[in-house]
Amino acid sequence: MSLRIVFMGTPDFAVPTLMEIVGQGHDVVACYTQPPRKAGRGMAERKSAVHQAAETLGIDVFTPESLKSEEEQARFASLSPDVAVVVAYGLLLPLAILETPTHGCVNLHASLLPRWRGAAPINRAIMAGDAETGVEVMRMEEGLDTGPVYMAERIAIGDTMTAGELHDRLAALGGDLMVRALAALSRGALAPTPQAAEGVTYARKIDKGETRVDWTRSAEEVHNHIRGLSPFPGAWCEMELGGKRERVKLLRSALETGIDVPVGTAPGTVLSADAAEGVVIACGSGALRLVQLQRAGRKPMAVAEFQRGAQLAAGDLVH
């Protein structure tokens, strides 16, 4: 049975879910998304990914700065939704909004709750070295990702998987999960399960201050840090290149097992560096091989291409 749906989302992670809902024949009566923001070198206003997709689909788009006013709440109520589907919207939903749809508001969240409630669950799962994560459809409450869970899908996190790769896998998986949940809802067969009281963790928003690589940490921790922030915002360090210190993003890495780190080697020391074998860096314990890097103002490049221009040498120190 077709449902009357208000969709609420902002980034590209939400687009596959919107497309799946429309593709299943549901009546998406409106999309709510964050207002256009200035972005890029020219700082031109840019519509969100959901905004652009909704316009392509011919769906009315609303971009309120807040949903707290009686006027905004009345406009939302006038849409008479059966359910609101929320995917990374970015605004808190007041109780008046949560209670308006006949079947409430359902949210797609990119973790296995109650682990990684909050803003950056994909990044935090990889940075913590989690072996698996997933997507869940949950009923929204006033608390932060505290509502009961309707349906879930799990996925293994590969040893070299980046946040960008996991994002794309979960976005596609989430779209499929949501339409299955809506089908169950339309049949009256969607049953909530309360979240466990134990194991609650919070995925706080990534802060620029934590993106710099700390070479005193273990090689495994640095590896997880790099892939958990790749491709955006990107982990980085500073290197002496061409006689000056330059910030370099580290986008891919691999744990190095073929080199013994001499006792007393300072973390951040280049242990091996050539175009063929790559660049290996000593960490607080163990060593890490750099696989893909990006110099300021340039495109991402494989380590062989990077090394031809950088010419790092064994014994150099990165910071």
Side-chain angles (χ1 to χ4, degrees):
M1 184 181 72
S2 174
L3 295 169
R4 186 175 173 87
I5 295 173
V6 170
F7 187 86
M8 312 178 85
T10 297
D12 54 1
F13 181 82
V15 172
T17 301
L18 173 60
M19 302 302 289
E20 287 283 352
I21 290 171
V22 172
Q24 290 296 314
H26 293 292
D27 182 15
V28 180
V29 295
C31 278
Y32 277 72
T33 189
Q34 289 283 299
R37 307 293 189 196
K38 292 182 178 179
R41 292 185 178 180
M43 295 302 289
E45 286 200 339
R46 182 178 300 171
K47 295 176 180 177
S48 75
V50 165
H51 194 150
Q52 295 175 53
E55 287 187 335
T56 300
L57 295 166
I59 300 171
D60 290 338
V61 179
F62 300 119
T63 59
E65 293 282 356
S66 169
L67 294 168
K68 295 180 180 180
S69 71
E70 291 185 4
E71 180 183 3
E72 284 297 341
Q73 291 172 13
R75 180 167 70 172
F76 184 86
S78 72
L79 298 169
S80 302
D82 293 322
V83 64
V85 173
V86 184
V87 187
Y89 178 34
L91 280 184
L92 292 176
L93 303 190
L95 185 61
I97 297 291
L98 294 172
E99 293 182 341
T100 291
T102 305
H103 299 291
C105 301
V106 296
N107 178 54
L108 179 71
H109 186 73
S111 82
L112 299 174
L113 295 165
R115 186 163 177 79
W116 303 127
R117 293 174 179 173
I122 295 175
N123 305 93
R124 296 296 176 190
I126 293 179
M127 292 169 73
D130 289 2
E132 69 170 359
T133 185
V135 283
E136 296 189 336
V137 174
M138 58 173 286
R139 187 175 72 203
M140 295 188 72
E141 298 177 343
E142 285 190 283
L144 178 63
D145 299 327
T146 57
V149 174
Y150 289 119
M151 297 178 71
E153 284 284 356
R154 295 174 177 267
I155 184 174
I157 302 176
D159 293 340
T160 61
M161 183 178 282
T162 66
E165 292 166 343
L166 183 56
H167 168 282
D168 293 348
R169 291 280 302 277
L170 292 177
L173 191 62
D176 177 71
L177 184 67
M178 181 59 75
V179 295
R180 286 191 278 131
L182 294 175
L185 176 65
S186 70
R187 300 191 304 269
L190 196 61
T193 301
Q195 292 185 36
E198 301 79 25
V200 176
T201 58
Y202 290 93
R204 69 185 187 280
K205 184 178 179 180
I206 300 297
D207 183 85
K208 289 183 179 180
E210 62 180 312
T211 56
R212 185 169 189 161
V213 172
D214 179 2
W215 296 106
T216 66
R217 300 173 72 186
S218 72
E220 184 175 6
E221 289 175 314
V222 175
H223 175 59
N224 292 339
H225 182 75
I226 289 170
R227 63 195 186 97
L229 296 177
S230 177
F232 181 84
W236 60 277
C237 68
E238 291 183 335
M239 301 179 178
E240 296 288 341
L241 304 176
K244 63 178 182 179
R245 185 172 291 192
E246 181 179 321
R247 179 182 293 200
V248 178
K249 279 188 179 182
L250 310 179
L251 301 177
R252 288 185 184 274
S253 58
L255 296 176
E256 176 57 49
T257 59
I259 293 180
D260 292 326
V261 181
V263 176
T265 301
T269 300
V270 177
L271 300 175
S272 173
D274 59 62
E277 298 298 326
V279 176
V280 179
I281 311 290
C283 300
S285 61
L288 197 69
R289 181 178 296 274
L290 303 183
V291 175
Q292 186 183 47
L293 308 91
Q294 184 177 15
R295 297 179 69 169
R298 304 189 189 185
K299 295 180 179 180
M301 61 186 77
V303 68
E305 181 183 357
F306 171 84
Q307 181 61 359
R308 283 195 291 270
Q311 296 184 340
L312 290 173
D316 288 349
L317 196 64
V318 299
H319 307 275

